[in-house]
Amino acid sequence: MIKILIAEDEPLSLQNLTGHLRRRLGEDALIEGASNGREAVERARQIQPALIFMDIEMPVMNGLDAASILHKTQPELPIIFLTAFDRFDYAVGAMRAGGTDYLLKPFDRAQVNACLRRTLHLPEQDVEQPDEAENPFCTQFSVWLTHHYMQDVSLEQAAEAMGMSSFYFSRFFRTAYNQTFVEYLTAYRIRQAVHLLEETEIPVRDIAPRVGYADAGYFSKVFKRHVGVTPTEYRNH
């Protein structure tokens, strides 16, 4: 049985990584989580994992201190550090604490798969490509957007709803969707507007607020920039 410990205090990040590992390693794998460094040390001693994914910034005890403690008693234990900050001093600290690798959050699944192959000696074909439809972040965000796209929402509000900082949300979002939050929100609103123009007789001035635009004139400009014609021209043709 493969045992993996994930030390991560961000619930959504923990859920996302756990789900990815579960799909790649199967139901027989033991995948456990810890919400701080001290808990990670205790759980690692109890379950003797084959690999630890360790967040650097955690409450009670950070990941570097936890890794240093574990490295003294289990020097061969592979530890993959995770952090949302691309800083050289973090990378140096991670290696000094006994880390075997260092990944930036939101994690790149291809890099996680590569870590699994290197540390667990898995063959290439046993680590499949990810299915974005199974991404918990995308699922949760999709539900939130369905209920809020017609409102005057901001990136900060979306990040708060997802339980993330604005910085972390922005990075996670670009990784998941390969575009910014504003780009995705605008495209989503335009798709909803197109549906209303095609399927209803609602006046354009009334469609605008239904898809998140208080100013009908500005809505028409955004619509034309994305579709190539104004909302009125689109409906007439």
Side-chain angles (χ1 to χ4, degrees):
M1 177 193 297
I2 297 176
K3 300 178 183 179
I4 294 181
L5 176 65
I6 305 172
E8 169 62 85
D9 67 318
E10 288 268 5
L12 187 57
S13 182
L14 174 62
Q15 179 186 13
N16 198 31
L17 182 52
T18 299
H20 176 73
L21 294 175
R22 177 65 64 197
R23 291 190 296 272
R24 298 306 171 257
L25 301 176
E27 294 301 320
D28 292 336
L30 175 65
I31 303 172
E32 295 205 5
S35 59
N36 61 68
R38 183 174 299 168
E39 184 182 351
V41 172
E42 295 173 356
R43 294 303 295 145
R45 288 172 174 170
Q46 291 170 357
I47 70 173
Q48 297 292 304
L51 172 64
I52 295 180
F53 286 92
M54 182 84 76
D55 188 21
I56 291 181
E57 292 291 338
M58 291 188 292
V60 184
M61 179 186 292
N62 67 44
L64 297 179
D65 291 341
S68 294
I69 293 173
L70 290 171
H71 189 62
K72 293 176 182 177
T73 57
Q74 304 176 60
E76 301 304 317
L77 174 61
I79 299 177
I80 310 299
F81 282 104
L82 304 172
T83 181
F85 302 98
D86 187 5
R87 286 172 40 181
F88 178 73
D89 58 324
Y90 271 32
V92 172
M95 297 305 104
R96 287 178 176 174
T100 56
D101 215 332
Y102 173 83
L103 300 178
L104 286 175
K105 296 190 299 181
F107 65 84
D108 183 313
R109 289 176 176 79
Q111 291 180 321
V112 173
N113 290 344
C115 288
L116 292 176
R117 290 195 296 271
R118 288 194 299 270
T119 57
L120 303 179
H121 307 293
L122 297 180
E124 181 81 23
Q125 62 269 24
D126 283 355
V127 185
E128 305 170 359
Q129 292 302 309
D131 182 352
E132 291 297 335
E134 297 176 342
N135 186 332
F137 174 86
C138 295
T139 301
Q140 185 174 336
F141 176 75
S142 178
V143 172
W144 179 86
L145 185 63
T146 299
H147 291 88
H148 294 85
Y149 74 90
M150 69 292 295
Q151 302 170 6
D152 183 20
V153 295
S154 65
L155 182 148
E156 288 73 21
Q157 290 172 317
E160 182 178 359
M162 299 290 284
M164 298 178 171
S165 68
S166 298
F167 173 80
Y168 185 37
F169 175 82
S170 295
R171 295 193 61 155
F172 212 117
F173 196 95
R174 183 174 284 279
T175 296
Y177 292 101
N178 197 33
Q179 58 186 150
T180 68
F181 168 75
V182 172
E183 290 170 343
Y184 187 91
L185 174 63
T186 301
Y188 186 92
R189 285 170 165 170
I190 295 303
R191 287 198 300 272
Q192 300 307 311
V194 166
H195 173 74
L196 291 174
L197 288 167
E198 292 178 344
E199 303 296 331
T200 76
E201 297 298 324
I202 300 172
V204 171
R205 66 177 180 276
D206 294 332
I207 288 179
R210 291 188 180 216
V211 295
Y213 294 96
D215 186 327
Y218 179 67
F219 163 65
S220 293
K221 291 180 181 179
V222 174
F223 189 95
K224 184 174 183 179
R225 187 164 65 243
H226 281 76
V227 181
V229 295
T230 67
T232 300
E233 291 170 337
Y234 184 89
R235 172 172 276 170
N236 291 339
H237 288 81

